[in-house]
Amino acid sequence: TLPDPVDPGMLNPAWKGLRLSGDGSLRGELAVTPAGIRQNAHANLKNISVFGDNWAIDSVNGELEITDFEKVLTAPHQQLTFANMIIGGCELSRGNMIFHSVAPGRFLIEYAAFDGFGGRITTANPVEIDPSSPAVKLPLYAAGINLPPLLSMLGIPDAAGPAKVSGALPVEFR
C-alpha cells in the first residue's frame, strides 16, 4: 500500500508532478555489463489513483512491464483499466487502455475505450502522444453520445433535448 500520496518523481525525474496512491507492487532487475547498465521493472497496480495538476484517474488496475526504468519505456501492449477519469472537464468511466511508452515522454495509445456523455468513446486508430506538446490531437469515435452535455462542455449551454450522436470525434487538448 502506498502512503497517501506518493511522488514517483523521487524514483525518476520524468515522473515529477505525478501523485499516486493505492495498492501494488514493484519489482525490478539491474544488470551492469560492459555494454552499460540495463534495468527493468514489473509493476502490479491494484486500485491505484493517479493524478496531476488538471486531471485524475482512479481505480487503475493492471500490470506494466517497464523495459527501461531510467527512460520510462515499456513493452508494447500494456493494458490498464480504470473506473473514473477527469481530464479537461470531461468525466469518463469504465476505461480500458492498451499502450506503450515509445520514447522518453512519448506514448503510443494502441487502443482506448471508455464511457462518457451517456455513450461509448473509443480511439479511432493508434496515436502517438507527446504530453509536452502544446497541442495533443486524439482522433476518437463516439457511439451513442448525448449531445446536450457535450455541447454544454464545449461552451454552448442552451442545448437541450434527447439528441444522440455517433461518429468521428476529433479532439485536441491544449
Side-chain angles (χ1 to χ4, degrees):
T1 301
L2 297 171
D4 285 330
V6 67
D7 176 2
M10 66 184 178
L11 297 173
N12 189 313
W15 298 338
K16 185 176 177 159
L18 291 179
R19 291 173 297 286
L20 301 171
S21 64
D23 294 321
S25 63
L26 179 68
R27 71 176 189 277
E29 193 176 282
L30 176 69
V32 180
T33 69
I37 298 173
R38 189 192 73 205
Q39 72 281 353
N40 59 46
H42 177 89
N44 184 331
L45 309 177
K46 295 179 183 176
N47 295 318
I48 296 288
S49 293
V50 184
F51 47 101
D53 292 333
N54 299 312
W55 58 274
I57 307 171
D58 75 1
S59 300
V60 177
N61 292 285
E63 297 191 23
L64 295 176
E65 287 297 327
I66 302 168
T67 56
D68 188 318
F69 202 73
E70 181 182 3
K71 294 179 183 174
V72 195
L73 302 179
T74 67
H77 317 304
Q78 302 299 297
Q79 183 167 344
L80 296 177
T81 62
F82 66 85
N84 301 291
M85 178 191 316
I86 298 175
I87 185 168
C90 297
E91 295 183 24
L92 309 169
S93 62
R94 289 187 341 110
N96 176 32
M97 182 168 52
I98 300 171
F99 71 99
H100 75 280
S101 173
V102 295
R106 291 194 355 247
F107 301 90
L108 178 68
I109 297 178
E110 299 171 47
Y111 176 80
F114 37 83
D115 291 345
F117 302 101
R120 191 79 174 154
I121 301 169
T122 60
T123 49
N125 51 6
V127 62
E128 191 170 309
I129 293 179
D130 179 350
S132 67
S133 175
V136 174
K137 293 182 180 183
L138 191 58
L140 301 174
Y141 181 82
I145 300 297
N146 291 324
L147 195 53
L150 176 61
L151 293 175
S152 178
M153 190 202 77
L154 295 173
I156 306 170
D158 295 331
K164 286 191 176 269
V165 64
S166 295
L169 183 64
V171 174
E172 184 172 314
F173 291 101
R174 295 178 190 251

